[in-house]
Amino acid sequence: MKYSEIKRNKEIDELIIRADYNLGAIGYTDHSQIHAGLVAERAAYILETFGYDKKQTELVRIAGYMHDIGNAINRNHHAELGAILANDILKKTDMSITDRLLIVSAIGHHDESTGGATDVISAALIIADKTDVRRDRVREKPKASFDVHDRVNFAVTNSKLKINSEKREISLRLTVDEKICSMYEYFDIFLGRMVMCRKASEILGAAFKLIVNGNKVL
Ligand SMILES: [Fe+2]
Ligand SMILES: [Fe+2]
């Protein structure tokens, strides 16, 4: 089973559409194929840069693309639900049991409420997912109806993830418009996720740095 086939799979496509629809209805930011594809490519880029082989980058791409499908059932426990859904889908393919379990375990551990990195695949997935902070994840709606999640994402006018394989450093550099959200609000929403990224980076033998408006904060 290749990543290109995963992207063309009708059931996965429908699951992402339903998941994104549900999250839109309860006020969450973009979780469409755009988020899925971005997380897939970013997670693969992280492993590639740190010298992991093609097999692992392909597995993390697949896990990245499918990581949020559990939201088609419920936001709560979406990581675990998504892992079960992914297991059912991948079981019908030619993928080995070992590879399938690497993917479902990464999906099942990606949310900060119940998860955490357990191996390099889940570590790269977590870092790719939690660093997808950008203005265009906020859905079209009147600014007056923005909640704190919308404001925090909208306030991020620039976001760059840099991987330095020699220094073994992963850094997320954000430009946050403090007129839109205060630093307090930003950290209230993101600190837990950034701490999760730091622990995931340790599994990759790397340090995680967060730089907001030019100041190193983590
Ligand atoms: Fe998620
Ligand atoms: Fe996600």
Short mmCIF file of all heavy atoms in Angstrom, two decimals, residues 139-189:
data_model
loop_
_atom_site.label_atom_id
_atom_site.label_comp_id
_atom_site.label_asym_id
_atom_site.label_seq_id
_atom_site.Cartn_x
_atom_site.Cartn_y
_atom_site.Cartn_z
N ARG A 139 -11.74 28.98 9.78
CA ARG A 139 -12.78 28.91 8.76
C ARG A 139 -13.38 30.29 8.48
O ARG A 139 -13.34 31.16 9.35
CB ARG A 139 -13.89 27.95 9.23
CG ARG A 139 -13.40 26.52 9.29
CD ARG A 139 -14.43 25.62 9.93
NE ARG A 139 -13.81 24.40 10.43
CZ ARG A 139 -13.68 23.27 9.72
NH1 ARG A 139 -14.14 23.20 8.51
NH2 ARG A 139 -13.08 22.23 10.26
N GLU A 140 -13.96 30.42 7.28
CA GLU A 140 -14.63 31.67 6.90
C GLU A 140 -15.79 31.94 7.86
O GLU A 140 -16.71 31.14 7.95
CB GLU A 140 -15.22 31.53 5.49
CG GLU A 140 -14.22 31.52 4.37
CD GLU A 140 -13.73 32.91 3.99
OE1 GLU A 140 -14.47 33.89 4.23
OE2 GLU A 140 -12.61 32.99 3.47
N LYS A 141 -15.72 33.01 8.61
CA LYS A 141 -16.83 33.43 9.47
C LYS A 141 -16.57 34.85 9.93
O LYS A 141 -15.42 35.33 9.85
CB LYS A 141 -17.01 32.47 10.65
CG LYS A 141 -15.81 32.28 11.56
CD LYS A 141 -16.21 31.41 12.74
CE LYS A 141 -15.14 30.37 13.06
NZ LYS A 141 -15.35 29.60 14.23
N PRO A 142 -17.60 35.54 10.43
CA PRO A 142 -17.36 36.91 10.87
C PRO A 142 -16.36 36.94 12.04
O PRO A 142 -16.43 36.07 12.91
CB PRO A 142 -18.74 37.39 11.34
CG PRO A 142 -19.72 36.36 10.94
CD PRO A 142 -18.99 35.11 10.61
N LYS A 143 -15.45 37.90 12.00
CA LYS A 143 -14.41 37.97 13.04
C LYS A 143 -15.00 38.08 14.45
O LYS A 143 -14.41 37.61 15.42
CB LYS A 143 -13.48 39.14 12.77
CG LYS A 143 -12.49 38.86 11.66
CD LYS A 143 -11.22 39.67 11.86
CE LYS A 143 -10.22 39.40 10.76
NZ LYS A 143 -10.64 39.84 9.43
N ALA A 144 -16.17 38.70 14.54
CA ALA A 144 -16.80 38.89 15.85
C ALA A 144 -17.15 37.53 16.50
O ALA A 144 -17.27 37.44 17.72
CB ALA A 144 -18.05 39.74 15.71
N SER A 145 -17.31 36.50 15.67
CA SER A 145 -17.68 35.19 16.22
C SER A 145 -16.46 34.29 16.47
O SER A 145 -16.60 33.14 16.85
CB SER A 145 -18.68 34.48 15.30
OG SER A 145 -18.02 34.15 14.08
N PHE A 146 -15.24 34.81 16.30
CA PHE A 146 -14.03 34.02 16.54
C PHE A 146 -13.94 33.61 18.01
O PHE A 146 -14.14 34.44 18.91
CB PHE A 146 -12.78 34.87 16.23
CG PHE A 146 -12.35 34.86 14.79
CD1 PHE A 146 -13.19 34.39 13.79
CD2 PHE A 146 -11.09 35.35 14.44
CE1 PHE A 146 -12.78 34.40 12.46
CE2 PHE A 146 -10.68 35.37 13.12
CZ PHE A 146 -11.52 34.90 12.13
N ASP A 147 -13.65 32.33 18.26
CA ASP A 147 -13.36 31.94 19.64
C ASP A 147 -11.84 32.01 19.84
O ASP A 147 -11.11 32.40 18.93
CB ASP A 147 -13.95 30.55 19.96
CG ASP A 147 -13.26 29.43 19.19
OD1 ASP A 147 -12.27 29.70 18.48
OD2 ASP A 147 -13.71 28.28 19.31
N VAL A 148 -11.39 31.59 21.03
CA VAL A 148 -9.97 31.74 21.33
C VAL A 148 -9.10 30.92 20.36
O VAL A 148 -8.03 31.37 19.93
CB VAL A 148 -9.68 31.45 22.82
CG1 VAL A 148 -10.00 30.01 23.20
CG2 VAL A 148 -8.23 31.77 23.17
N HIS A 149 -9.55 29.73 19.94
CA HIS A 149 -8.77 28.90 19.00
C HIS A 149 -8.64 29.61 17.65
O HIS A 149 -7.57 29.60 17.04
CB HIS A 149 -9.44 27.54 18.78
CG HIS A 149 -9.40 26.68 20.00
ND1 HIS A 149 -8.38 25.79 20.23
CD2 HIS A 149 -10.24 26.58 21.05
CE1 HIS A 149 -8.58 25.19 21.38
NE2 HIS A 149 -9.71 25.64 21.90
N ASP A 150 -9.75 30.21 17.21
CA ASP A 150 -9.71 30.95 15.95
C ASP A 150 -8.73 32.11 16.06
O ASP A 150 -7.91 32.33 15.18
CB ASP A 150 -11.11 31.53 15.62
CG ASP A 150 -12.12 30.44 15.32
OD1 ASP A 150 -11.72 29.40 14.79
OD2 ASP A 150 -13.31 30.65 15.63
N ARG A 151 -8.83 32.84 17.16
CA ARG A 151 -7.98 34.02 17.31
C ARG A 151 -6.51 33.65 17.37
O ARG A 151 -5.66 34.29 16.76
CB ARG A 151 -8.40 34.84 18.53
CG ARG A 151 -9.53 35.82 18.18
CD ARG A 151 -9.83 36.80 19.26
NE ARG A 151 -10.43 36.15 20.42
CZ ARG A 151 -9.85 36.05 21.59
NH1 ARG A 151 -8.68 36.60 21.80
NH2 ARG A 151 -10.47 35.43 22.58
N VAL A 152 -6.23 32.58 18.13
CA VAL A 152 -4.84 32.16 18.27
C VAL A 152 -4.26 31.75 16.91
O VAL A 152 -3.14 32.11 16.56
CB VAL A 152 -4.71 31.04 19.32
CG1 VAL A 152 -3.36 30.36 19.24
CG2 VAL A 152 -4.94 31.60 20.71
N ASN A 153 -5.03 31.01 16.11
CA ASN A 153 -4.55 30.61 14.78
C ASN A 153 -4.48 31.81 13.84
O ASN A 153 -3.54 31.94 13.06
CB ASN A 153 -5.45 29.52 14.18
CG ASN A 153 -5.05 28.14 14.65
OD1 ASN A 153 -4.14 27.52 14.13
ND2 ASN A 153 -5.73 27.65 15.67
N PHE A 154 -5.49 32.69 13.93
CA PHE A 154 -5.55 33.85 13.05
C PHE A 154 -4.40 34.82 13.33
O PHE A 154 -3.91 35.51 12.44
CB PHE A 154 -6.90 34.56 13.20
CG PHE A 154 -7.20 35.50 12.06
CD1 PHE A 154 -7.62 35.01 10.83
CD2 PHE A 154 -7.05 36.88 12.21
CE1 PHE A 154 -7.88 35.87 9.78
CE2 PHE A 154 -7.31 37.74 11.16
CZ PHE A 154 -7.74 37.24 9.94
N ALA A 155 -3.99 34.83 14.60
CA ALA A 155 -2.92 35.75 15.00
C ALA A 155 -1.56 35.34 14.44
O ALA A 155 -0.64 36.15 14.38
CB ALA A 155 -2.85 35.83 16.53
N VAL A 156 -1.43 34.07 14.02
CA VAL A 156 -0.14 33.60 13.50
C VAL A 156 -0.01 34.03 12.03
O VAL A 156 -0.60 33.44 11.14
CB VAL A 156 0.00 32.07 13.66
CG1 VAL A 156 1.31 31.59 13.06
CG2 VAL A 156 -0.07 31.69 15.13
N THR A 157 0.75 35.07 11.81
CA THR A 157 0.86 35.61 10.46
C THR A 157 1.99 34.94 9.68
O THR A 157 2.02 34.99 8.46
CB THR A 157 1.08 37.14 10.48
OG1 THR A 157 2.22 37.41 11.32
CG2 THR A 157 -0.12 37.86 11.04
N ASN A 158 2.92 34.29 10.40
CA ASN A 158 3.99 33.56 9.73
C ASN A 158 4.42 32.39 10.61
O ASN A 158 4.51 32.53 11.82
CB ASN A 158 5.17 34.51 9.49
CG ASN A 158 6.03 34.03 8.34
OD1 ASN A 158 6.32 32.83 8.21
ND2 ASN A 158 6.44 34.96 7.51
N SER A 159 4.65 31.26 9.98
CA SER A 159 5.03 30.06 10.73
C SER A 159 6.04 29.26 9.92
O SER A 159 5.78 28.95 8.75
CB SER A 159 3.74 29.25 10.97
OG SER A 159 4.02 27.90 11.21
N LYS A 160 7.20 29.00 10.52
CA LYS A 160 8.23 28.24 9.79
C LYS A 160 8.81 27.15 10.67
O LYS A 160 9.21 27.41 11.81
CB LYS A 160 9.36 29.18 9.38
CG LYS A 160 9.18 29.73 8.01
CD LYS A 160 10.47 30.25 7.40
CE LYS A 160 10.19 30.88 6.06
NZ LYS A 160 9.66 32.25 6.17
N LEU A 161 8.83 25.94 10.15
CA LEU A 161 9.44 24.84 10.88
C LEU A 161 10.80 24.56 10.23
O LEU A 161 10.88 24.34 9.03
CB LEU A 161 8.55 23.59 10.79
CG LEU A 161 9.01 22.41 11.64
CD1 LEU A 161 8.77 22.68 13.12
CD2 LEU A 161 8.29 21.13 11.23
N LYS A 162 11.85 24.60 11.04
CA LYS A 162 13.19 24.35 10.50
C LYS A 162 13.77 23.12 11.17
O LYS A 162 13.69 22.97 12.39
CB LYS A 162 14.10 25.55 10.81
CG LYS A 162 14.14 26.54 9.69
CD LYS A 162 15.38 27.41 9.82
CE LYS A 162 15.41 28.45 8.72
NZ LYS A 162 16.23 29.60 9.11
N ILE A 163 14.37 22.26 10.35
CA ILE A 163 15.01 21.06 10.89
C ILE A 163 16.49 21.16 10.59
O ILE A 163 16.88 21.28 9.43
CB ILE A 163 14.47 19.77 10.20
CG1 ILE A 163 12.97 19.83 9.95
CG2 ILE A 163 14.90 18.52 10.96
CD1 ILE A 163 12.10 19.58 11.10
N ASN A 164 17.30 21.13 11.63
CA ASN A 164 18.75 21.15 11.44
C ASN A 164 19.28 19.79 11.87
O ASN A 164 19.35 19.49 13.05
CB ASN A 164 19.34 22.29 12.27
CG ASN A 164 20.81 22.49 11.98
OD1 ASN A 164 21.54 21.53 11.75
ND2 ASN A 164 21.23 23.74 11.98
N SER A 165 19.63 18.98 10.86
CA SER A 165 20.03 17.60 11.17
C SER A 165 21.40 17.54 11.83
O SER A 165 21.66 16.65 12.65
CB SER A 165 19.99 16.74 9.92
OG SER A 165 20.83 17.28 8.95
N GLU A 166 22.30 18.48 11.49
CA GLU A 166 23.63 18.47 12.11
C GLU A 166 23.57 18.84 13.58
O GLU A 166 24.14 18.17 14.43
CB GLU A 166 24.57 19.43 11.38
CG GLU A 166 25.24 18.75 10.20
CD GLU A 166 25.80 19.75 9.22
OE1 GLU A 166 26.28 20.82 9.64
OE2 GLU A 166 25.73 19.45 8.00
N LYS A 167 22.84 19.92 13.86
CA LYS A 167 22.71 20.36 15.26
C LYS A 167 21.67 19.53 16.00
O LYS A 167 21.47 19.71 17.19
CB LYS A 167 22.28 21.83 15.30
CG LYS A 167 23.36 22.82 15.03
CD LYS A 167 22.83 24.18 15.45
CE LYS A 167 23.65 25.34 15.06
NZ LYS A 167 22.90 26.60 15.20
N ARG A 168 20.96 18.70 15.27
CA ARG A 168 19.82 17.92 15.78
C ARG A 168 18.86 18.85 16.53
O ARG A 168 18.66 18.74 17.73
CB ARG A 168 20.28 16.73 16.63
CG ARG A 168 21.10 15.76 15.80
CD ARG A 168 20.97 14.32 16.20
NE ARG A 168 19.74 13.64 15.88
CZ ARG A 168 19.50 12.95 14.76
NH1 ARG A 168 20.37 12.93 13.80
NH2 ARG A 168 18.36 12.30 14.61
N GLU A 169 18.31 19.76 15.75
CA GLU A 169 17.43 20.78 16.30
C GLU A 169 16.20 20.94 15.43
O GLU A 169 16.31 21.01 14.21
CB GLU A 169 18.21 22.09 16.31
CG GLU A 169 17.97 22.95 17.51
CD GLU A 169 18.93 24.13 17.47
OE1 GLU A 169 18.70 25.05 16.66
OE2 GLU A 169 19.90 24.11 18.24
N ILE A 170 15.05 21.00 16.08
CA ILE A 170 13.80 21.28 15.36
C ILE A 170 13.30 22.60 15.93
O ILE A 170 13.11 22.72 17.14
CB ILE A 170 12.75 20.16 15.61
CG1 ILE A 170 13.29 18.81 15.13
CG2 ILE A 170 11.42 20.50 14.95
CD1 ILE A 170 12.43 17.62 15.48
N SER A 171 13.12 23.60 15.07
CA SER A 171 12.63 24.85 15.63
C SER A 171 11.41 25.37 14.88
O SER A 171 11.34 25.32 13.65
CB SER A 171 13.73 25.91 15.70
OG SER A 171 14.40 25.99 14.47
N LEU A 172 10.47 25.83 15.68
CA LEU A 172 9.25 26.44 15.14
C LEU A 172 9.33 27.93 15.42
O LEU A 172 9.45 28.36 16.57
CB LEU A 172 8.00 25.83 15.80
CG LEU A 172 6.66 26.40 15.34
CD1 LEU A 172 6.39 26.09 13.87
CD2 LEU A 172 5.50 25.85 16.19
N ARG A 173 9.31 28.70 14.32
CA ARG A 173 9.43 30.16 14.45
C ARG A 173 8.10 30.77 14.05
O ARG A 173 7.63 30.59 12.92
CB ARG A 173 10.55 30.61 13.48
CG ARG A 173 11.10 31.97 13.73
CD ARG A 173 12.25 32.21 12.76
NE ARG A 173 13.51 31.68 13.27
CZ ARG A 173 14.32 32.36 14.09
NH1 ARG A 173 14.00 33.58 14.47
NH2 ARG A 173 15.44 31.83 14.51
N LEU A 174 7.48 31.45 14.99
CA LEU A 174 6.16 32.03 14.72
C LEU A 174 6.18 33.54 14.83
O LEU A 174 6.87 34.10 15.68
CB LEU A 174 5.13 31.51 15.73
CG LEU A 174 4.85 30.01 15.81
CD1 LEU A 174 3.85 29.74 16.91
CD2 LEU A 174 4.31 29.50 14.48
N THR A 175 5.39 34.17 13.97
CA THR A 175 5.13 35.59 14.14
C THR A 175 3.68 35.70 14.57
O THR A 175 2.78 35.23 13.87
CB THR A 175 5.35 36.35 12.80
OG1 THR A 175 6.64 35.99 12.30
CG2 THR A 175 5.27 37.85 13.00
N VAL A 176 3.47 36.23 15.77
CA VAL A 176 2.12 36.31 16.32
C VAL A 176 1.73 37.77 16.46
O VAL A 176 2.47 38.57 17.04
CB VAL A 176 2.06 35.60 17.71
CG1 VAL A 176 0.69 35.75 18.35
CG2 VAL A 176 2.43 34.13 17.59
N ASP A 177 0.58 38.12 15.91
CA ASP A 177 0.07 39.49 16.02
C ASP A 177 -0.61 39.64 17.38
O ASP A 177 -1.71 39.14 17.60
CB ASP A 177 -0.92 39.75 14.88
CG ASP A 177 -1.40 41.20 14.86
OD1 ASP A 177 -1.26 41.89 15.90
OD2 ASP A 177 -1.92 41.63 13.81
N GLU A 178 0.09 40.32 18.29
CA GLU A 178 -0.42 40.42 19.67
C GLU A 178 -1.63 41.35 19.79
O GLU A 178 -2.23 41.44 20.86
CB GLU A 178 0.71 40.86 20.61
CG GLU A 178 1.75 39.77 20.78
CD GLU A 178 2.88 40.14 21.70
OE1 GLU A 178 2.61 40.41 22.88
OE2 GLU A 178 4.04 40.19 21.24
N LYS A 179 -1.97 42.01 18.70
CA LYS A 179 -3.20 42.81 18.72
C LYS A 179 -4.41 41.88 18.58
O LYS A 179 -5.52 42.21 18.96
CB LYS A 179 -3.21 43.82 17.56
CG LYS A 179 -2.23 44.97 17.78
CD LYS A 179 -2.51 46.16 16.87
CE LYS A 179 -2.13 45.95 15.43
NZ LYS A 179 -0.70 45.82 15.15
N ILE A 180 -4.18 40.68 18.02
CA ILE A 180 -5.28 39.73 17.81
C ILE A 180 -5.41 38.75 18.98
O ILE A 180 -6.51 38.45 19.44
CB ILE A 180 -5.10 38.97 16.46
CG1 ILE A 180 -5.09 39.97 15.30
CG2 ILE A 180 -6.20 37.93 16.27
CD1 ILE A 180 -4.64 39.41 13.99
N CYS A 181 -4.30 38.26 19.47
CA CYS A 181 -4.36 37.40 20.67
C CYS A 181 -3.17 37.70 21.56
O CYS A 181 -2.07 37.99 21.07
CB CYS A 181 -4.45 35.92 20.28
SG CYS A 181 -2.91 35.01 20.29
N SER A 182 -3.40 37.64 22.85
CA SER A 182 -2.32 37.95 23.78
C SER A 182 -1.40 36.74 23.92
O SER A 182 -1.79 35.62 23.59
CB SER A 182 -2.90 38.30 25.16
OG SER A 182 -3.47 37.13 25.72
N MET A 183 -0.20 36.96 24.40
CA MET A 183 0.74 35.86 24.61
C MET A 183 0.17 34.87 25.63
O MET A 183 0.37 33.67 25.52
CB MET A 183 2.09 36.39 25.10
CG MET A 183 2.96 36.89 24.00
SD MET A 183 3.36 35.58 22.83
CE MET A 183 2.99 36.37 21.30
N TYR A 184 -0.58 35.41 26.57
CA TYR A 184 -1.20 34.53 27.58
C TYR A 184 -2.15 33.54 26.90
O TYR A 184 -2.11 32.34 27.15
CB TYR A 184 -1.94 35.36 28.64
CG TYR A 184 -2.68 34.45 29.60
CD1 TYR A 184 -2.01 33.81 30.64
CD2 TYR A 184 -4.04 34.17 29.41
CE1 TYR A 184 -2.67 32.94 31.48
CE2 TYR A 184 -4.71 33.30 30.24
CZ TYR A 184 -4.02 32.68 31.28
OH TYR A 184 -4.67 31.80 32.10
N GLU A 185 -3.00 34.06 26.01
CA GLU A 185 -3.95 33.19 25.30
C GLU A 185 -3.21 32.18 24.43
O GLU A 185 -3.57 31.02 24.36
CB GLU A 185 -4.87 34.03 24.40
CG GLU A 185 -5.94 34.78 25.17
CD GLU A 185 -6.76 35.67 24.25
OE1 GLU A 185 -6.16 36.40 23.42
OE2 GLU A 185 -7.98 35.64 24.36
N TYR A 186 -2.15 32.67 23.77
CA TYR A 186 -1.38 31.80 22.90
C TYR A 186 -0.85 30.60 23.70
O TYR A 186 -1.02 29.44 23.31
CB TYR A 186 -0.23 32.55 22.22
CG TYR A 186 0.62 31.61 21.43
CD1 TYR A 186 0.22 31.19 20.17
CD2 TYR A 186 1.76 31.05 21.99
CE1 TYR A 186 0.95 30.24 19.47
CE2 TYR A 186 2.49 30.10 21.31
CZ TYR A 186 2.08 29.70 20.05
OH TYR A 186 2.79 28.74 19.40
N PHE A 187 -0.24 30.88 24.85
CA PHE A 187 0.34 29.79 25.63
C PHE A 187 -0.71 28.91 26.29
O PHE A 187 -0.51 27.71 26.46
CB PHE A 187 1.36 30.32 26.64
CG PHE A 187 2.63 30.70 25.95
CD1 PHE A 187 3.02 32.01 25.82
CD2 PHE A 187 3.40 29.71 25.35
CE1 PHE A 187 4.17 32.34 25.11
CE2 PHE A 187 4.55 30.03 24.65
CZ PHE A 187 4.93 31.35 24.53
N ASP A 188 -1.82 29.52 26.62
CA ASP A 188 -2.92 28.75 27.21
C ASP A 188 -3.34 27.63 26.24
O ASP A 188 -3.59 26.50 26.63
CB ASP A 188 -4.09 29.70 27.48
CG ASP A 188 -5.10 29.06 28.40
OD1 ASP A 188 -4.68 28.26 29.25
OD2 ASP A 188 -6.31 29.36 28.25
N ILE A 189 -3.38 27.95 24.97
CA ILE A 189 -3.82 26.98 23.95
C ILE A 189 -2.67 26.07 23.52
O ILE A 189 -2.87 24.87 23.33
CB ILE A 189 -4.39 27.73 22.70
CG1 ILE A 189 -5.57 28.64 23.09
CG2 ILE A 189 -4.79 26.76 21.59
CD1 ILE A 189 -6.79 27.94 23.64
#
